[in-house]
Amino acid sequence: MKKSMLPDYKLIEIQILASGDILQIPVYTFQGKKEGKKVYIQANLHGAEIVGNAVIYELIEFFSTLNNEDINGEIILVPMCNPIGVNQRNLFFSTGRYSPYDGLNWNRIFWDYSHENINIDDFVRENMNFSKQDIQANFFDNILNKFQEKQNNINHRRGVSFSEHYRNILQSLSLSANYIIDIHSSSVSSIDYLYCFDYRQKSADYFLLDYAILMNKYDGNAFDEAFLNPWLILEKKLSQAGRNLIFDVESWTLELGSGMRVNEESVKKGFKGIINYLSAKKILNLEVVLPEKSTKFIPKNTIKSYYAIQGGIIRHRLKEGTKVKEGDMLYQILSFSKGSKMPFIIDIESADEGIIFDVSTNDTVNQGEYILGIFPHV
Ligand SMILES: [Zn+2]
């Protein structure tokens, strides 16, 4: 394809290592001719979840064929956003889910404005009668000012922990965006889906994925939550005060394919969904596809997890996406349990009716390890 528009490319230093090497993250920015909204897309926050890098590559290739009149606003893309996680290994296996420094999940370290000592009730009182656009702009200012204030208060002699330093870099790129998209993969083997927050269900359809998990409780400092949570609180408080507004601010986590693998179907789905979403949000001047079927929402607390009732070798496990009824055989455990004269097999039947959502990738388990998840028909 002919390239007509090259992105602005820069590298941001995230860590100077003991050896003197420097870890950096690449940032690609496509700037439209017309001013407009901003979207931030990142991939590979968890080290094993590499599919999103291929999606971002396809997006960069595609945007490069456009003219700057085809883009309204700004698109920022950050593949390989966590080089420490990406490069981490145990034998051949990518681990990279937890920071080696403090043990925190890399996706539970982010700064949430609403956790600061701030009073959103005061903001609501002062802004109550302004236009939606003005309220949005003022709240954005408050978030960004608070973030900047925190940056300015970093004592350069004392420094900050790596988690804090790293999150500050990703959030300085993303906090002023209207839309953020964080591309992950299942750490087991799963159908493709996305996470959706309440009051943003209408937009989920544009990603053209069959299923979304509806977040019904705050999980804690994930990238998508830390971004949107203050806005959800503001909307709730405004609504209690009699003003029903949904701001033009959204945050999405896509879960595409499985860890350590690049499933090309998942890459295609991710690419197509993001292009369609950006078109629906008028960042791209392209036709919007409406899905044949609406996205089905699965409340997070309805997913039933199955754990090994004893250790052994898993056999005949059903695959993700399989429909099951109560009593169907889900999998077997082959056991060479000590003290039993003969090895034996235990059949595990489903206690639920629904669809197998994900399955673990290791066919050997200790008691209590995760085997699979089932969500009800929706
Ligand atoms: Zn992840």
Side-chain angles (χ1 to χ4, degrees):
M1 275 194 281
K2 197 175 143 285
K3 302 260 190 309
S4 49
M5 187 183 179
L6 286 178
D8 173 63
Y9 170 73
K10 66 176 178 191
L11 288 168
I12 297 183
E13 273 186 17
I14 63 159
Q15 193 178 32
I16 304 174
L17 302 172
S19 58
D21 294 294
I22 299 174
L23 293 181
Q24 296 166 309
I25 54 171
V27 181
Y28 299 82
T29 305
F30 287 88
Q31 189 75 54
K33 194 171 179 187
K34 269 199 281 173
E35 289 277 304
K37 296 185 277 192
K38 178 168 160 182
V39 57
Y40 173 87
I41 304 173
Q42 72 176 22
N44 219 164
L45 182 58
H46 286 139
E49 303 173 12
I50 51 181
V51 174
N53 297 314
V55 174
I56 288 184
Y57 166 78
E58 298 295 338
L59 291 171
I60 291 172
E61 285 289 295
F62 178 73
F63 296 148
S64 303
T65 65
L66 301 177
N67 294 310
N68 64 357
E69 288 101 24
D70 300 326
I71 296 179
N72 306 310
E74 192 178 41
I75 304 171
I76 300 172
L77 301 127
V78 184
M80 301 280 181
C81 78
N82 179 1
I84 298 174
V86 172
N87 297 327
Q88 199 176 24
R89 292 289 177 281
N90 241 346
L91 186 60
F92 310 113
F93 303 102
S94 293
T95 44
R97 189 171 182 82
Y98 299 96
S99 163
Y101 298 109
D102 48 22
L104 291 175
N105 181 330
W106 284 116
N107 199 17
R108 296 292 184 278
I109 60 171
F110 293 97
W111 176 75
D112 181 332
Y113 171 68
S114 67
H115 295 172
E116 292 291 323
N117 187 20
I118 45 139
N119 194 331
I120 297 185
D121 293 313
D122 285 347
F123 178 88
V124 167
R125 221 169 298 119
E126 287 156 18
N127 288 263
M128 184 67 192
N129 298 316
F130 295 167
S131 71
K132 182 178 162 183
Q133 283 73 12
D134 285 349
I135 300 177
Q136 183 167 319
N138 290 346
F139 199 62
F140 255 129
D141 280 351
N142 284 8
I143 293 175
L144 296 176
N145 289 340
K146 193 75 188 172
F147 182 71
Q148 198 51 55
E149 184 190 311
K150 285 185 79 75
Q151 309 294 298
N152 296 344
N153 285 340
I154 292 173
N155 182 307
H156 291 283
R157 289 193 219 163
R158 292 195 204 107
V160 287
S161 72
F162 184 73
S163 291
E164 188 174 340
H165 170 68
Y166 174 61
R167 79 171 188 209
N168 286 345
I169 291 170
L170 293 188
Q171 291 191 286
S172 66
L173 292 167
S174 58
L175 270 180
S176 62
N178 292 78
Y179 314 119
I180 62 164
I181 301 174
D182 190 14
I183 314 177
H184 287 244
S185 303
S186 167
S187 41
V188 288
S189 192
S190 167
I191 56 168
D192 300 312
Y193 63 99
L194 69 155
Y195 281 102
C196 177
F197 290 92
D198 238 351
Y199 308 105
R200 298 297 186 278
Q201 287 93 329
K202 267 190 197 158
S203 299
D205 272 351
Y206 297 122
F207 286 100
L208 308 172
L209 294 172
D210 294 339
Y211 296 102
I213 294 183
L214 194 58
M215 300 288 287
N216 36 24
K217 89 179 203 330
Y218 192 86
D219 221 30
N221 303 94
F223 188 71
D224 55 356
E225 287 179 319
F227 176 82
L228 197 65
N229 191 42
W231 293 94
L232 296 177
I233 293 172
L234 174 64
E235 286 169 5
K236 198 170 166 196
K237 286 183 182 288
L238 278 164
S239 146
Q240 284 162 353
R243 190 96 193 264
N244 287 315
L245 297 176
I246 302 292
F247 295 103
D248 193 8
V249 179
E250 297 183 352
S251 128
W252 304 95
T253 295
L254 305 190
E255 296 280 347
L256 302 174
S258 312
M260 298 196 293
R261 295 261 180 277
V262 177
N263 176 347
E264 293 299 336
E265 274 306 304
S266 300
V267 176
K268 267 188 222 157
K269 278 193 200 171
F271 171 76
K272 220 173 119 188
I274 290 173
I275 295 289
N276 198 47
Y277 175 77
L278 298 182
S279 308
K281 295 292 163 189
K282 305 221 172 349
I283 290 184
L284 297 177
N285 294 329
L286 296 172
E287 208 174 308
V288 181
V289 182
L290 284 169
E292 287 160 27
K293 292 181 291 182
S294 286
T295 303
K296 293 195 173 88
F297 292 98
I298 308 155
K300 202 175 178 204
N301 54 7
T302 63
I303 299 172
K304 301 284 187 251
S305 299
Y306 284 70
Y307 298 96
I309 57 165
Q310 71 149 76
I313 305 294
I314 303 292
R315 298 185 65 190
H316 301 115
R317 174 165 37 188
L318 298 181
K319 293 213 172 353
E320 65 270 24
T322 311
K323 278 187 186 168
V324 291
K325 295 192 303 294
E326 194 184 333
D328 286 355
M329 202 186 63
L330 294 175
Y331 69 97
Q332 296 178 317
I333 302 174
L334 161 61
S335 174
F336 289 92
S337 182
K338 306 292 184 292
S340 154
K341 250 186 192 169
M342 293 288 286
F344 57 89
I345 283 184
I346 307 169
D347 292 340
I348 305 292
E349 293 171 352
S350 182
D352 304 281
E353 177 165 350
I355 293 168
I356 297 181
F357 165 69
D358 62 2
V359 297
S360 68
T361 44
N362 195 339
D363 285 337
T364 173
V365 287
N366 296 309
Q367 183 175 353
E369 288 179 6
Y370 187 70
I371 304 284
L372 54 81
I374 295 179
F375 63 78
H377 285 298
V378 279

